[in-house]
Amino acid sequence: MVIFFGTLVSFYLSSFFTYQPKHYFVLSFVNAFVAAGMLLIGVRALPAIVLALIVHYVLFVDVAIGYAVLFSLVLPIPPILISQIHLKVIKHVKQQSSVLLMSSVYFLLFGLALPMLQTSLLLFVSYLSKISLSLEFMLLSSSSVALTHMILTPIIFLALSVLFGVGKSKYIALDEQIFEMNSTVWSYRVWAGVLLVTLGSIAIVPESMLLYSLWFFFLVTVFVGIGRFGIIRPMVLGLLVVGVMLYNATAKVNDAWGYDDRYVGLIEVLVAFVVLAYIHGSSTIRSFILSQEKIHNERTDPYTGLYNLAQLKDDVANCKKPILVFLDLWPTLSKLAGIGYSGQTQLLLQITRSLFTTRSDIKRAYRPPFTTGVLFILPMTDNVQRELVSISAMLDEFQFYWKGTSMSLVSHTLHCFPLPNDEDLDAKISTFCDQPYYAHQKILWFDDSEQSTPRMSRLLKVQHAIKHNEFVLYCQPYRHLHNSHSGSHFEVLLRLHPADGSQLEPAEFFPMVNEFGVEEQLDKWVIENTFKLLSENLLQWESINRCAINLTAKSLGDDELASFVLRLAEKYDIPLGRICFEITESAALENEAQAIATVEELKLAGCTIALDDFGTGYASFAYLRRIPVTVLKIDGEFIRNLPTNPTDRLIVESIHLVANNMSLVTVAEYVETEAHADLLREIGIDYAQGFGMAMPLPLDEHIKSINVSVGI
């Protein structure tokens, strides 16, 4: 319906530009509308166009039905044919992303080929109608067709695009971007002011050469604005000026009822002017696209497509009360080293897509250098905490899909920091994105006061603690789910209590320990001090079922570790049958052959071997085939949502089935409620460890409570 009635309306508009001696449209809205409709929606527009032409010729021109059908079928052939050729050529040329090439194709087809084809068809119709056409009129015809499609067709195409919603945002956004990049407020006001003054002068100047000079000055001013003030504004203004000039000139020629060389000269000058405007506009768009591509390449990571800090600085400057939010993916990526850079890239992309879907106001994600996380910006609002909770809930449900498998994030923390616009962004981000891993805090607001004592201060504390024996042994008991009268089971934990009275959480000092490469030294300290504390304070070994001590991957590669343990056991009279060494899956074994030899020697001496964090680490089931473990500790990632997540329950049941068939003891981590414990008991898991079972406490206090429980 839009095409049908639009075609009829275009006849009415064209009537204002009719060269009466030949009943010819000098500025043909009909021709432009047909071409624009075909360019936009293709052959689907053809039936409505032909029907509108027939209606026009029969009702308004009083042409016999036979001629009306003939004209309606023949006259649209040139614009339809050229439009289809243009669509096919552009489809191939577009792959080269050359605006100048695409505009050249349009000019050659609609500025040259179509006028010649239209003039040839006009000769054919005049022959059928036995109407004589002069060479001068042929020149007028070809020039007017070129002018029509050079200036009118693009405007109608844009109007139809906006009306149909096809590419509306693309064209308008491009125009706005060019306008914002090249213009300033004062320059736009000066340009608009010159145009208004020129229009005012045109309105009061009588018909004369001065009037035409003012019109051309107006056109030159519009020409200067092409690119500097966008493309659409100057194009529409140019069409209005050309339309008024042609209307006045056509009216004069019609009054004289004769051919006028100056009339054709005016049209040819306007055609030349429009061609120059096309070249200038195409060059402007090309320069803009190239500069945008250069900026994009400079401001994005080539592997992930995420933006860098240069783009972040611009976005922060344009945001009122911005909040930086940093999602650290180290807990997950540290367990997925086998997926390589392509897998890590996919994880980042999948998470950012989920963020964009969850929050429409998050337009970009940023990747700070030397980090394993993602930054994004939120505006400070009264509901920002609720919005962060919503994002955190999305991350809880997030699944990373990779090569036919899927997994959830191993834990996440959203580090948040309100950033004033006048801050040194580089310094802030370098400290803000270097926060330690917090396993149990999903939303953590960054304390700006900590910037005065950042990472270097913590490094000094760790160094001092190692030298001056400032580490403290804690433990976390865990419960036997099927026998409440079994002996005590607990895992030895490490805390740092510096002499200055401050405290550092494990998540703060363990990364420093790894950075200094003192894991082996610290593991041996834990083993010796645990043995010493048990030897000096425990009064009855039968009250302990299992004391678990963690060993890092680096320590397992030490060929002297087993002999070190045996010497200490002899020194402190420790029954190794009560000792369990936990091997974490969160880090790859640096020397697997030596690690297996160490584990076998410890197991031969009577120690129990546990595989920690099972299910989300480096080796999972592959470790079970090579390392002689006795205990399987199921990673808390599968336990945390066990009461509400059927998939997690299925995974836990599968792990239990494997462990049961291999005669392995199972321990579930992160058990936070009795509901979790009941489900685990029902599945058949042996032990439950977590805050819901027992909170961590100093090891010496726990030993005293064991002594009391057995009546000693």
Side-chain angles (χ1 to χ4, degrees):
M1 294 299 293
V2 171
I3 297 297
F4 175 80
F5 286 107
T7 305
L8 292 178
V9 170
S10 65
F11 272 107
Y12 172 74
L13 296 175
S14 300
S15 64
F16 292 98
F17 302 91
T18 303
Y19 179 55
Q20 294 295 347
K22 300 295 183 181
H23 299 286
Y24 179 76
F25 298 147
V26 177
L27 191 63
S28 177
F29 283 80
V30 181
N31 214 320
F33 190 86
V34 170
M38 294 299 299
L39 286 174
L40 188 66
I41 60 177
V43 294
R44 290 181 297 163
L46 189 56
I49 292 172
V50 173
L51 181 61
L53 292 175
I54 294 174
V55 170
H56 170 76
Y57 286 125
V58 171
L59 297 182
F60 301 105
V61 184
D62 195 23
V63 175
I65 187 65
Y67 281 109
V69 173
L70 176 63
F71 291 164
S72 300
L73 292 175
V74 174
L75 291 179
I77 289 178
I80 291 173
L81 180 62
I82 296 298
S83 298
Q84 291 303 301
I85 294 174
H86 179 269
L87 290 174
K88 291 185 180 298
V89 173
I90 287 296
K91 187 176 181 180
H92 297 285
V93 172
K94 198 173 184 180
Q95 298 174 356
Q96 303 179 25
S97 301
S98 173
V99 176
L100 195 58
L101 181 59
M102 288 189 284
S103 62
S104 299
V105 169
Y106 182 86
F107 171 73
L108 290 174
L109 290 176
F110 284 90
L112 295 177
L114 182 56
M116 291 188 291
L117 185 60
Q118 192 86 22
T119 302
S120 300
L121 187 63
L122 190 62
L123 285 172
F124 174 71
V125 173
S126 66
Y127 172 77
L128 293 178
S129 305
K130 297 182 180 180
I131 299 175
S132 176
L133 297 177
S134 63
L135 181 61
E136 292 81 1
F137 179 74
M138 291 295 99
L139 181 61
L140 171 66
S141 170
S142 59
S143 300
S144 65
V145 171
L147 186 61
T148 291
H149 290 291
M150 293 294 289
I151 193 169
L152 189 55
T153 301
I155 297 294
I156 296 178
F157 176 81
L158 180 63
L160 290 177
S161 299
V162 173
L163 183 62
F164 291 145
V166 180
K168 170 185 175 182
S169 57
K170 178 178 68 175
Y171 300 126
I172 295 179
L174 177 64
D175 180 74
E176 288 296 329
Q177 290 170 2
I178 295 175
F179 180 85
E180 292 174 2
M181 185 182 77
N182 295 327
S183 67
T184 59
V185 175
W186 70 266
S187 63
Y188 180 65
R189 289 175 177 173
V190 169
W191 182 71
V194 171
L195 291 177
L196 288 174
V197 170
T198 306
L199 278 178
S201 302
I202 290 172
I204 60 176
V205 170
E207 182 70 26
S208 63
M209 287 298 297
L210 177 61
L211 179 63
Y212 279 95
S213 298
L214 287 172
W215 278 120
F216 276 107
F217 177 77
F218 192 97
L219 274 178
V220 171
T221 306
V222 170
F223 180 87
V224 170
I226 296 176
R228 179 175 293 276
F229 307 112
I231 301 296
I232 296 178
R233 296 173 183 82
M235 190 186 302
V236 172
L237 288 172
L239 173 63
L240 292 176
V241 174
V242 171
V244 172
M245 293 179 71
L246 278 180
Y247 175 77
N248 290 334
T250 303
K252 285 185 178 182
V253 171
N254 288 336
D255 289 342
W257 199 260
Y259 181 77
D260 190 340
D261 290 338
R262 290 176 298 176
Y263 183 56
V264 177
L266 173 65
I267 295 177
E268 290 176 344
V269 168
L270 291 176
V271 169
F273 196 92
V274 171
V275 169
L276 291 176
Y278 254 83
I279 296 172
H280 179 51
S282 300
S283 178
T284 299
I285 296 176
R286 179 176 178 272
S287 299
F288 171 77
I289 292 176
L290 289 176
S291 65
Q292 290 298 101
E293 289 177 351
K294 182 179 179 181
I295 292 172
H296 179 78
N297 292 335
E298 290 176 348
R299 297 191 174 190
T300 56
D301 178 62
Y303 299 103
T304 63
L306 300 183
Y307 290 92
N308 57 26
L309 295 190
Q311 183 64 52
L312 178 61
K313 290 178 183 179
D314 282 355
D315 294 342
V316 166
N318 296 322
C319 180
K320 294 182 179 179
K321 296 182 178 180
I323 296 177
L324 288 181
V325 183
F326 178 64
L327 170 61
D328 190 2
L329 296 173
W330 177 84
T332 300
L333 290 175
S334 64
K335 299 184 179 183
L336 295 175
I339 65 176
Y341 286 116
S342 61
Q344 294 179 27
T345 297
Q346 276 301 311
L347 175 61
L348 290 169
L349 293 177
Q350 290 182 28
I351 282 183
T352 52
R353 279 198 295 265
S354 296
L355 283 172
F356 298 154
T357 302
T358 303
R359 294 282 309 202
S360 59
D361 55 350
I362 299 178
K363 304 297 184 183
R364 292 184 175 128
Y366 314 87
R367 189 177 187 186
F370 310 111
T371 66
T372 55
V374 175
L375 264 177
F376 55 94
I377 301 174
L378 283 179
M380 174 64 83
T381 63
D382 295 336
N383 298 322
V384 67
Q385 188 68 23
R386 188 183 307 167
E387 294 165 358
L388 289 168
V389 171
S390 173
I391 294 173
S392 179
M394 179 277 291
L395 294 172
D396 282 335
E397 299 296 325
F398 173 78
Q399 290 288 315
F400 169 48
Y401 295 95
W402 176 250
K403 292 187 177 180
T405 62
S406 68
M407 67 165 289
S408 54
L409 295 180
V410 173
S411 175
H412 70 270
T413 299
L414 293 174
H415 299 275
C416 309
F417 178 51
L419 184 69
N421 288 338
D422 58 348
E423 293 286 351
D424 182 355
L425 195 60
D426 288 325
K428 291 290 183 182
I429 290 179
S430 65
T431 305
F432 173 60
C433 295
D434 194 27
Q435 297 305 295
Y437 167 52
Y438 293 89
H440 302 292
Q441 290 183 275
K442 294 186 176 180
I443 299 174
L444 186 65
W445 287 89
F446 179 59
D447 186 0
D448 192 29
S449 63
E450 293 181 358
Q451 298 239 1
S452 59
T453 58
R455 179 184 181 90
M456 189 58 67
S457 174
R458 298 198 298 272
L459 289 174
L460 294 175
K461 285 184 178 181
V462 172
Q463 285 180 320
H464 189 274
I466 293 174
K467 291 179 181 179
H468 297 87
N469 205 28
E470 294 177 347
F471 288 103
V472 178
L473 293 176
Y474 271 56
C475 72
Q476 184 177 33
Y478 46 97
R479 184 194 302 175
H480 197 302
L481 294 174
H482 306 282
N483 182 4
S484 59
H485 300 291
S486 64
S488 176
H489 308 75
F490 59 90
E491 177 183 351
V492 176
L493 306 174
L494 194 62
R495 297 292 184 267
L496 176 58
H497 292 175
D500 60 7
S502 62
Q503 293 188 11
L504 290 180
E505 293 296 321
E508 294 181 280
F509 67 78
F510 269 122
M512 308 302 158
V513 169
N514 294 333
E515 182 172 342
F516 280 120
V518 294
E519 300 98 318
E520 299 173 63
Q521 181 182 346
L522 200 56
D523 281 352
K524 290 180 178 180
W525 185 94
V526 172
I527 295 170
E528 181 167 6
N529 283 273
T530 300
F531 283 8
K532 182 179 179 181
L533 202 58
L534 289 170
S535 176
E536 294 176 352
N537 296 278
L538 185 64
L539 300 178
Q540 187 173 319
W541 274 100
E542 287 73 15
S543 59
I544 290 183
N545 185 290
R546 184 181 301 117
C547 169
I549 302 173
N550 287 287
L551 291 177
T552 60
K554 185 171 288 188
S555 292
L556 286 170
D558 182 0
D559 57 0
E560 296 183 357
L561 178 65
S563 59
F564 173 79
V565 172
L566 295 179
R567 286 197 306 271
L568 289 179
E570 183 178 353
K571 176 181 178 180
Y572 292 108
D573 194 21
I574 302 295
L576 290 178
R578 306 288 177 174
I579 302 299
C580 174
F581 288 104
E582 294 189 3
I583 305 169
T584 179
E585 263 201 298
S586 60
L589 297 176
E590 296 182 0
N591 186 342
E592 187 171 319
Q594 179 58 53
I596 294 174
T598 299
V599 168
E600 289 177 341
E601 190 172 350
L602 291 173
K603 189 172 182 181
L604 186 62
C607 300
T608 302
I609 306 299
L611 188 58
D612 198 9
D613 297 333
F614 182 78
T616 60
Y618 277 75
S620 296
F621 287 98
Y623 273 4
L624 296 181
R625 301 169 54 196
R626 301 192 298 272
I627 301 177
V629 300
T630 310
V631 180
L632 210 58
K633 297 191 72 174
I634 306 171
D635 190 273
E637 191 62 32
F638 303 117
I639 307 300
R640 185 179 289 111
N641 300 317
L642 191 62
T644 58
N645 193 322
T647 303
D648 285 347
R649 174 162 183 161
L650 181 62
I651 292 172
V652 174
E653 288 175 346
S654 300
I655 294 174
H656 166 68
L657 179 62
V658 172
N660 189 50
N661 289 333
M662 297 180 68
S663 300
L664 302 179
V665 176
T666 50
V667 180
E669 300 177 304
Y670 293 91
V671 181
E672 299 178 351
T673 67
E674 289 298 330
H676 287 77
D678 292 339
L679 279 173
L680 292 167
R681 186 180 297 108
E682 180 183 335
I683 293 172
I685 302 302
D686 299 307
Y687 294 92
Q689 179 184 2
F691 291 163
M693 302 296 99
M695 298 296 292
L697 73 163
L699 179 57
D700 57 352
E701 291 184 13
H702 183 57
I703 293 175
K704 291 177 183 178
S705 68
I706 293 175
N707 291 336
V708 172
S709 67
V710 296
I712 299 177

